[in-house]
Each structure stands twice: as structure tokens, then as C-alpha cells.
Amino acid sequence: MHELGLVFQMAKVIEESLAGEEDITAIDTVVMEIGEISSVVPHYFEACFPAAADRCPLFAGAKLVIEKIPAVARCRSCGEEFPVVENKGYCPACGSFDKDLLSGREFNIKEVAVR
Ligand SMILES: [Zn+2]
């Protein structure tokens, strides 16, 4: 489980992005985008999230919102765009496994609301 490390990493990025903004007293909500086939398990990330306050006090009481991004790929043989997980990686139109992933590996800080 590497989600704790990712929580600290997220906290560091947000803390650095807020550096110099002295009016901020607390972080209210963090919105994260997590791809369906990224290596991050949203449930574990959520469980580790409160630990961000250990690293940066601004996170005390902060809420976490996770937006899950579905995995979508484009087939290299026929150009079909399809959801990867429900088709087990195979193009539903032509059966090819050769594809470019369009989304699904995201691990992004989408939004940070502060007080
Ligand atoms: Zn295809």
C-alpha cells in the first residue's frame, strides 16, 4: 500500500502551491482525479488522507472528494473508442488488443478550496 506516500506527496504539492498566500488559514476541500486503472486505490487514498494534516497543519479537518476517471482507449486497428475495463482491454468492434490509452491513469489534484 503506497497510498500514504501519495497523500504526503499531494500534501507537499498543495503546500508548495499555496506558499506565499498568507491569508489562507485552512484547506477546506481537495478534489482529486483518480483514473480507473491508475495504481492508486481510491478507498486506501481516502483512508490515508487525514495523515496529510501530520505533514501540513493546513489540512486539519479538510475534506477529500475523489472523482474517478474511467479508462478509455482508442483501437489502433479500427479507431474505435471503448471502455477498457468492461472489455478486458480488447476492442469490442474488431477484437484487437492493440490500443492507445486515452484516459484512466490519472492521479491529479483537480481543485483545492481554501478558507
Ligand atoms: Zn478495433
Side-chain angles (χ1 to χ4, degrees), residues 43-94:
H43 173 73
Y44 289 147
F45 190 83
E46 217 165 354
C48 296
F49 182 75
D54 299 344
R55 190 56 62 98
C56 171
L58 287 176
F59 282 91
K63 290 186 289 291
L64 172 68
V65 175
I66 293 177
E67 291 184 2
K68 292 178 197 163
I69 311 286
V72 176
R74 182 186 294 120
C75 176
R76 280 190 190 162
S77 301
C78 74
E80 176 85 359
E81 288 184 17
F82 60 96
V84 176
V85 173
E86 66 176 79
N87 291 294
K88 300 188 168 65
Y90 291 94
C91 172
C94 74

